[in-house]
Amino acid sequence: MYNLDKVIPGIIILILFLTTPIWLNLANLKALPPKDPHIGQARMCTTCHVSEKGPDEAVTSEKCVADTQYMRGYHMKLLDEWREKKIRKGEVYYKGLDGKSYVMSLQRTCLKCHSDYLNFCDRCHKFTGVQLDCFNCHIAGKEEKK
Amino acid sequence: MSVRLNDFLFSILLIAVLIVIPLLGVGVLGLKYFFGVIIPYLALAVFIGGLIYRIVDWARSPQPFKITTTSGQQKSLPWIKRSRLESPANNLEVALRMFFEVFFFRSLFRNLRADLEGKRLLYGSAKWLWLGALLFHLGFLIIILRHLRFFVFPVPEFVNILEKIDGFFQIGFPTLYLSDLLILLGLAFLLLRRLFDAKINYISYASDYFPLLLIISIVVTGILMRVAIKPDIFAIKHYAISLATFRPVIPEAPISVLFYVHLFLVSSLAVYFPFSKLVHMVGIFFSPTRNLPNDNRMKRHVNPWDYPVKYTTYSEWQEKFRDVMEEAGIPIDEEWGKEIQKQA
């Protein structure tokens, strides 16, 4: 091969660039979540909801306005919808999954159950790198935010 | 004007097949481990291995001539102003020129428009190709860097900052990423010019349409997952990190088929990449018109595959015919004669 003095460093830089996630993770291997996502953090919602493996007896009576799977993906859309309806259209009630009506309010409805900001919001959001700005204005439940 | 559509339609068909495969494989057959672990790892291996194969292949090719493309005054007498970027005289200037080429596409900025007006051929300035290519490439780079947030924990701060800048205007909810918008604009332009510019259409083949359409479908499935059909991002991050740390786990929480389509299209791109025109990503560095300094007059460039040629020097020739030459009265060059005797 010709120009090995330039080609070899080039290949090394290319491989380092393409494997960025691998060595960035190696740098903090201790901070990584456990091997099985279900040990530790993944099933945080089962404390208040029916889990997939069966009802969690302690709190099956308390239900969210929508089911867990929907809320995992779409809670931000729901909150956005609530803000639109309440602040801009003046509506007050939202008809939930169980047919009951809920007051559309982050602090008075959502945070009544989901009061633990650090464990409920922040853990997921930090983990997935999604930045939220709800609590720039709202008070974040019992726990101090940050 | 007739538009050649065959290659375009063939590419669309290929993309449709690539979308149907994971739809059937995951949606119907439920082969999550195959599509979620085996194919992505295989694709990564082919991608990196293929790129290295292409690099080694190019690095083994000899460079018989120095054929730098220049468009400026080369280094000459000290009082003649020279152009360092347009006619680089040393490796540092070559590296500078390469940097501007890779990040700002200077050579595309010189792209010209050539049109027939009646019977007259007119040339003019055309910056659209440069702009479209820049939007597409830089958009792609930013999107790839943003994806680090799925693969790395804790998320690096520069990724968070990049994301904030990318969503700076907070248009819509979830916030529109400017890179998403710009890459789509760039891709749309690059595709439409192949379809509607007769001159470009004439030289466009499936190998031109397919990568464009493949990247468009990757971008569209990605945007769909962000805007409309939202998957469980928490489960996806667990899955992505497990891939990046080589202990692959398919999460039990349901991940939408759309995600697997996105993943399969990306894997297809990775496999296709090293063996298609897309490999210009590394090819640009091996482009002999770009990677050589224009120092022909300062350093002799020796063709590496020159082989020793047997030739006769004048003095050898003179020694051979000395008698005949003296007889015929042809003057003998004694200096050369002496040299021969010295060497002997």
Short mmCIF file of all heavy atoms in Angstrom, two decimals, chain B residues 112-149:
data_model
loop_
_atom_site.label_atom_id
_atom_site.label_comp_id
_atom_site.label_asym_id
_atom_site.label_seq_id
_atom_site.Cartn_x
_atom_site.Cartn_y
_atom_site.Cartn_z
N LEU B 112 -21.55 25.20 -12.98
CA LEU B 112 -22.10 26.14 -13.95
C LEU B 112 -23.35 25.56 -14.59
O LEU B 112 -23.56 24.36 -14.63
CB LEU B 112 -21.08 26.44 -15.05
CG LEU B 112 -19.93 27.36 -14.65
CD1 LEU B 112 -19.06 27.61 -15.85
CD2 LEU B 112 -20.45 28.66 -14.09
N ARG B 113 -24.16 26.47 -15.06
CA ARG B 113 -25.37 26.09 -15.77
C ARG B 113 -25.06 26.20 -17.25
O ARG B 113 -24.45 27.19 -17.69
CB ARG B 113 -26.45 27.08 -15.38
CG ARG B 113 -27.85 26.77 -15.75
CD ARG B 113 -28.75 27.74 -15.00
NE ARG B 113 -28.46 29.11 -15.42
CZ ARG B 113 -29.22 29.78 -16.28
NH1 ARG B 113 -30.26 29.21 -16.81
NH2 ARG B 113 -28.92 31.01 -16.61
N ALA B 114 -25.43 25.21 -18.02
CA ALA B 114 -25.24 25.30 -19.47
C ALA B 114 -26.59 25.03 -20.13
O ALA B 114 -27.13 23.93 -19.99
CB ALA B 114 -24.20 24.30 -19.94
N ASP B 115 -27.12 26.02 -20.79
CA ASP B 115 -28.43 25.86 -21.42
C ASP B 115 -28.39 26.28 -22.88
O ASP B 115 -27.63 27.17 -23.26
CB ASP B 115 -29.48 26.70 -20.69
CG ASP B 115 -29.92 26.02 -19.41
OD1 ASP B 115 -30.10 24.80 -19.45
OD2 ASP B 115 -30.03 26.72 -18.39
N LEU B 116 -29.23 25.63 -23.66
CA LEU B 116 -29.38 26.05 -25.05
C LEU B 116 -30.51 27.06 -25.13
O LEU B 116 -31.61 26.83 -24.65
CB LEU B 116 -29.72 24.86 -25.93
CG LEU B 116 -28.56 23.98 -26.40
CD1 LEU B 116 -29.09 22.83 -27.22
CD2 LEU B 116 -27.57 24.81 -27.20
N GLU B 117 -30.17 28.20 -25.74
CA GLU B 117 -31.23 29.17 -25.98
C GLU B 117 -31.32 29.32 -27.49
O GLU B 117 -30.46 29.95 -28.11
CB GLU B 117 -30.92 30.50 -25.31
CG GLU B 117 -32.13 31.39 -25.17
CD GLU B 117 -31.80 32.63 -24.36
OE1 GLU B 117 -31.91 32.56 -23.13
OE2 GLU B 117 -31.41 33.64 -24.99
N GLY B 118 -32.33 28.68 -28.07
CA GLY B 118 -32.33 28.57 -29.52
C GLY B 118 -31.14 27.71 -29.91
O GLY B 118 -31.02 26.58 -29.46
N LYS B 119 -30.23 28.29 -30.69
CA LYS B 119 -29.05 27.51 -31.06
C LYS B 119 -27.82 27.94 -30.26
O LYS B 119 -26.73 27.41 -30.48
CB LYS B 119 -28.77 27.70 -32.56
CG LYS B 119 -29.63 26.78 -33.41
CD LYS B 119 -29.23 26.88 -34.86
CE LYS B 119 -30.06 25.93 -35.70
NZ LYS B 119 -29.82 26.11 -37.13
N ARG B 120 -28.01 28.92 -29.39
CA ARG B 120 -26.85 29.42 -28.65
C ARG B 120 -26.68 28.68 -27.33
O ARG B 120 -27.65 28.46 -26.62
CB ARG B 120 -27.02 30.92 -28.39
CG ARG B 120 -26.77 31.75 -29.62
CD ARG B 120 -26.41 33.16 -29.28
NE ARG B 120 -27.24 33.70 -28.20
CZ ARG B 120 -26.85 34.71 -27.44
NH1 ARG B 120 -25.68 35.26 -27.64
NH2 ARG B 120 -27.64 35.17 -26.49
N LEU B 121 -25.44 28.29 -27.01
CA LEU B 121 -25.15 27.64 -25.74
C LEU B 121 -24.77 28.72 -24.73
O LEU B 121 -23.82 29.47 -24.95
CB LEU B 121 -24.00 26.65 -25.93
CG LEU B 121 -23.57 25.89 -24.69
CD1 LEU B 121 -24.71 25.07 -24.13
CD2 LEU B 121 -22.39 24.99 -25.01
N LEU B 122 -25.53 28.80 -23.66
CA LEU B 122 -25.27 29.84 -22.67
C LEU B 122 -24.78 29.22 -21.37
O LEU B 122 -25.32 28.22 -20.92
CB LEU B 122 -26.55 30.64 -22.40
CG LEU B 122 -27.09 31.48 -23.53
CD1 LEU B 122 -28.35 32.20 -23.07
CD2 LEU B 122 -26.04 32.48 -23.99
N TYR B 123 -23.76 29.82 -20.79
CA TYR B 123 -23.29 29.38 -19.48
C TYR B 123 -23.68 30.42 -18.44
O TYR B 123 -23.73 31.60 -18.73
CB TYR B 123 -21.76 29.22 -19.48
CG TYR B 123 -21.29 28.10 -20.36
CD1 TYR B 123 -20.78 28.36 -21.63
CD2 TYR B 123 -21.37 26.79 -19.92
CE1 TYR B 123 -20.35 27.33 -22.44
CE2 TYR B 123 -20.94 25.76 -20.72
CZ TYR B 123 -20.43 26.03 -21.99
OH TYR B 123 -20.02 25.01 -22.78
N GLY B 124 -23.97 29.94 -17.25
CA GLY B 124 -24.31 30.90 -16.20
C GLY B 124 -24.00 30.32 -14.85
O GLY B 124 -23.62 29.16 -14.71
N SER B 125 -24.21 31.15 -13.83
CA SER B 125 -23.95 30.70 -12.48
C SER B 125 -25.09 29.82 -12.00
O SER B 125 -26.25 30.04 -12.32
CB SER B 125 -23.80 31.93 -11.57
OG SER B 125 -23.88 31.53 -10.23
N ALA B 126 -24.81 28.76 -11.26
CA ALA B 126 -25.86 27.91 -10.71
C ALA B 126 -25.40 27.43 -9.34
O ALA B 126 -24.51 26.59 -9.23
CB ALA B 126 -26.13 26.72 -11.62
N LYS B 127 -25.99 27.98 -8.29
CA LYS B 127 -25.58 27.60 -6.94
C LYS B 127 -26.56 26.61 -6.32
O LYS B 127 -26.39 26.22 -5.18
CB LYS B 127 -25.49 28.84 -6.04
CG LYS B 127 -24.58 29.93 -6.56
CD LYS B 127 -23.12 29.49 -6.50
CE LYS B 127 -22.22 30.61 -6.97
NZ LYS B 127 -21.25 30.13 -7.98
N TRP B 128 -27.59 26.20 -7.04
CA TRP B 128 -28.63 25.38 -6.42
C TRP B 128 -28.12 24.00 -6.04
O TRP B 128 -28.46 23.48 -4.98
CB TRP B 128 -29.84 25.26 -7.35
CG TRP B 128 -30.59 26.53 -7.44
CD1 TRP B 128 -30.59 27.40 -8.48
CD2 TRP B 128 -31.41 27.10 -6.42
NE1 TRP B 128 -31.37 28.49 -8.18
CE2 TRP B 128 -31.89 28.33 -6.93
CE3 TRP B 128 -31.79 26.71 -5.15
CZ2 TRP B 128 -32.73 29.16 -6.20
CZ3 TRP B 128 -32.62 27.53 -4.42
CH2 TRP B 128 -33.08 28.74 -4.93
N LEU B 129 -27.30 23.41 -6.90
CA LEU B 129 -26.78 22.08 -6.59
C LEU B 129 -25.93 22.15 -5.32
O LEU B 129 -26.04 21.31 -4.43
CB LEU B 129 -25.95 21.55 -7.75
CG LEU B 129 -25.31 20.19 -7.49
CD1 LEU B 129 -26.36 19.14 -7.25
CD2 LEU B 129 -24.40 19.79 -8.63
N TRP B 130 -25.10 23.21 -5.26
CA TRP B 130 -24.26 23.39 -4.09
C TRP B 130 -25.12 23.52 -2.84
O TRP B 130 -24.88 22.85 -1.83
CB TRP B 130 -23.39 24.64 -4.27
CG TRP B 130 -22.65 25.06 -3.05
CD1 TRP B 130 -21.50 24.52 -2.57
CD2 TRP B 130 -23.02 26.10 -2.15
NE1 TRP B 130 -21.14 25.16 -1.42
CE2 TRP B 130 -22.04 26.13 -1.14
CE3 TRP B 130 -24.07 27.01 -2.11
CZ2 TRP B 130 -22.10 27.03 -0.09
CZ3 TRP B 130 -24.13 27.90 -1.06
CH2 TRP B 130 -23.15 27.92 -0.07
N LEU B 131 -26.15 24.33 -2.91
CA LEU B 131 -27.01 24.57 -1.74
C LEU B 131 -27.75 23.29 -1.34
O LEU B 131 -27.77 22.92 -0.16
CB LEU B 131 -28.00 25.69 -2.05
CG LEU B 131 -28.85 26.15 -0.87
CD1 LEU B 131 -27.98 26.82 0.17
CD2 LEU B 131 -29.95 27.09 -1.32
N GLY B 132 -28.33 22.61 -2.33
CA GLY B 132 -29.08 21.39 -2.03
C GLY B 132 -28.18 20.33 -1.42
O GLY B 132 -28.53 19.69 -0.43
N ALA B 133 -26.98 20.16 -1.99
CA ALA B 133 -26.05 19.15 -1.48
C ALA B 133 -25.62 19.50 -0.06
O ALA B 133 -25.54 18.63 0.82
CB ALA B 133 -24.82 19.05 -2.38
N LEU B 134 -25.37 20.80 0.18
CA LEU B 134 -24.93 21.22 1.52
C LEU B 134 -26.02 20.98 2.55
O LEU B 134 -25.77 20.46 3.63
CB LEU B 134 -24.55 22.70 1.47
CG LEU B 134 -23.63 23.19 2.57
CD1 LEU B 134 -22.27 22.53 2.42
CD2 LEU B 134 -23.47 24.69 2.50
N LEU B 135 -27.28 21.35 2.20
CA LEU B 135 -28.40 21.14 3.12
C LEU B 135 -28.52 19.67 3.47
O LEU B 135 -28.66 19.28 4.63
CB LEU B 135 -29.71 21.61 2.49
CG LEU B 135 -29.93 23.11 2.39
CD1 LEU B 135 -31.28 23.39 1.77
CD2 LEU B 135 -29.83 23.75 3.75
N PHE B 136 -28.44 18.83 2.43
CA PHE B 136 -28.61 17.41 2.65
C PHE B 136 -27.49 16.83 3.52
O PHE B 136 -27.74 16.19 4.53
CB PHE B 136 -28.68 16.67 1.31
CG PHE B 136 -28.34 15.22 1.40
CD1 PHE B 136 -29.09 14.39 2.21
CD2 PHE B 136 -27.26 14.70 0.72
CE1 PHE B 136 -28.76 13.05 2.33
CE2 PHE B 136 -26.94 13.37 0.84
CZ PHE B 136 -27.69 12.55 1.65
N HIS B 137 -26.23 17.13 3.14
CA HIS B 137 -25.12 16.50 3.86
C HIS B 137 -25.02 17.00 5.30
O HIS B 137 -24.85 16.20 6.23
CB HIS B 137 -23.80 16.76 3.13
CG HIS B 137 -23.59 15.90 1.93
ND1 HIS B 137 -24.09 16.20 0.70
CD2 HIS B 137 -22.95 14.71 1.79
CE1 HIS B 137 -23.74 15.25 -0.15
NE2 HIS B 137 -23.05 14.33 0.48
N LEU B 138 -25.13 18.32 5.50
CA LEU B 138 -25.01 18.84 6.86
C LEU B 138 -26.21 18.40 7.71
O LEU B 138 -26.06 18.07 8.89
CB LEU B 138 -24.88 20.36 6.85
CG LEU B 138 -23.52 20.86 6.38
CD1 LEU B 138 -23.43 22.37 6.51
CD2 LEU B 138 -22.38 20.23 7.16
N GLY B 139 -27.40 18.36 7.08
CA GLY B 139 -28.58 17.88 7.80
C GLY B 139 -28.37 16.44 8.27
O GLY B 139 -28.64 16.11 9.42
N PHE B 140 -27.83 15.63 7.38
CA PHE B 140 -27.58 14.22 7.70
C PHE B 140 -26.58 14.11 8.86
O PHE B 140 -26.78 13.34 9.81
CB PHE B 140 -27.03 13.50 6.46
CG PHE B 140 -27.34 12.03 6.43
CD1 PHE B 140 -27.23 11.31 5.25
CD2 PHE B 140 -27.75 11.36 7.56
CE1 PHE B 140 -27.52 9.96 5.20
CE2 PHE B 140 -28.05 10.01 7.54
CZ PHE B 140 -27.93 9.32 6.36
N LEU B 141 -25.53 14.91 8.79
CA LEU B 141 -24.51 14.87 9.86
C LEU B 141 -25.14 15.22 11.21
O LEU B 141 -24.92 14.53 12.21
CB LEU B 141 -23.37 15.84 9.53
CG LEU B 141 -22.28 15.93 10.59
CD1 LEU B 141 -21.52 14.62 10.71
CD2 LEU B 141 -21.31 17.06 10.29
N ILE B 142 -25.93 16.30 11.23
CA ILE B 142 -26.54 16.73 12.50
C ILE B 142 -27.50 15.66 13.01
O ILE B 142 -27.53 15.35 14.21
CB ILE B 142 -27.26 18.08 12.30
CG1 ILE B 142 -26.23 19.18 12.06
CG2 ILE B 142 -28.10 18.43 13.53
CD1 ILE B 142 -26.81 20.49 11.63
N ILE B 143 -28.27 15.06 12.10
CA ILE B 143 -29.21 14.02 12.53
C ILE B 143 -28.47 12.82 13.11
O ILE B 143 -28.85 12.29 14.15
CB ILE B 143 -30.10 13.59 11.33
CG1 ILE B 143 -31.06 14.72 11.00
CG2 ILE B 143 -30.87 12.32 11.66
CD1 ILE B 143 -31.88 14.49 9.77
N ILE B 144 -27.36 12.44 12.48
CA ILE B 144 -26.59 11.30 13.01
C ILE B 144 -26.04 11.64 14.40
O ILE B 144 -26.13 10.84 15.33
CB ILE B 144 -25.46 10.94 12.03
CG1 ILE B 144 -26.04 10.23 10.82
CG2 ILE B 144 -24.44 10.03 12.71
CD1 ILE B 144 -25.04 9.98 9.73
N LEU B 145 -25.51 12.85 14.55
CA LEU B 145 -24.98 13.23 15.87
C LEU B 145 -26.09 13.26 16.91
O LEU B 145 -25.89 12.85 18.05
CB LEU B 145 -24.29 14.60 15.78
CG LEU B 145 -22.97 14.61 15.01
CD1 LEU B 145 -22.40 16.02 14.95
CD2 LEU B 145 -21.96 13.68 15.66
N ARG B 146 -27.28 13.75 16.51
CA ARG B 146 -28.39 13.79 17.46
C ARG B 146 -28.79 12.39 17.92
O ARG B 146 -29.23 12.21 19.05
CB ARG B 146 -29.60 14.48 16.82
CG ARG B 146 -29.63 15.98 17.00
CD ARG B 146 -31.02 16.53 16.91
NE ARG B 146 -31.53 16.65 15.57
CZ ARG B 146 -32.38 15.81 15.00
NH1 ARG B 146 -32.80 14.77 15.66
NH2 ARG B 146 -32.80 16.02 13.78
N HIS B 147 -28.61 11.40 17.02
CA HIS B 147 -29.00 10.04 17.38
C HIS B 147 -28.13 9.46 18.50
O HIS B 147 -28.47 8.41 19.04
CB HIS B 147 -28.94 9.12 16.16
CG HIS B 147 -30.23 9.10 15.39
ND1 HIS B 147 -30.67 10.17 14.67
CD2 HIS B 147 -31.18 8.15 15.26
CE1 HIS B 147 -31.82 9.87 14.10
NE2 HIS B 147 -32.17 8.65 14.44
N LEU B 148 -27.02 10.13 18.81
CA LEU B 148 -26.20 9.65 19.94
C LEU B 148 -27.01 9.58 21.23
O LEU B 148 -26.69 8.83 22.13
CB LEU B 148 -25.00 10.57 20.14
CG LEU B 148 -23.79 10.32 19.26
CD1 LEU B 148 -22.71 11.33 19.57
CD2 LEU B 148 -23.26 8.92 19.48
N ARG B 149 -28.07 10.40 21.31
CA ARG B 149 -28.84 10.40 22.54
C ARG B 149 -29.54 9.06 22.78
O ARG B 149 -29.92 8.73 23.90
CB ARG B 149 -29.83 11.55 22.58
CG ARG B 149 -31.16 11.32 21.90
CD ARG B 149 -31.99 12.58 21.97
NE ARG B 149 -33.15 12.52 21.11
CZ ARG B 149 -34.37 12.23 21.55
NH1 ARG B 149 -34.57 11.95 22.81
NH2 ARG B 149 -35.38 12.22 20.70
#
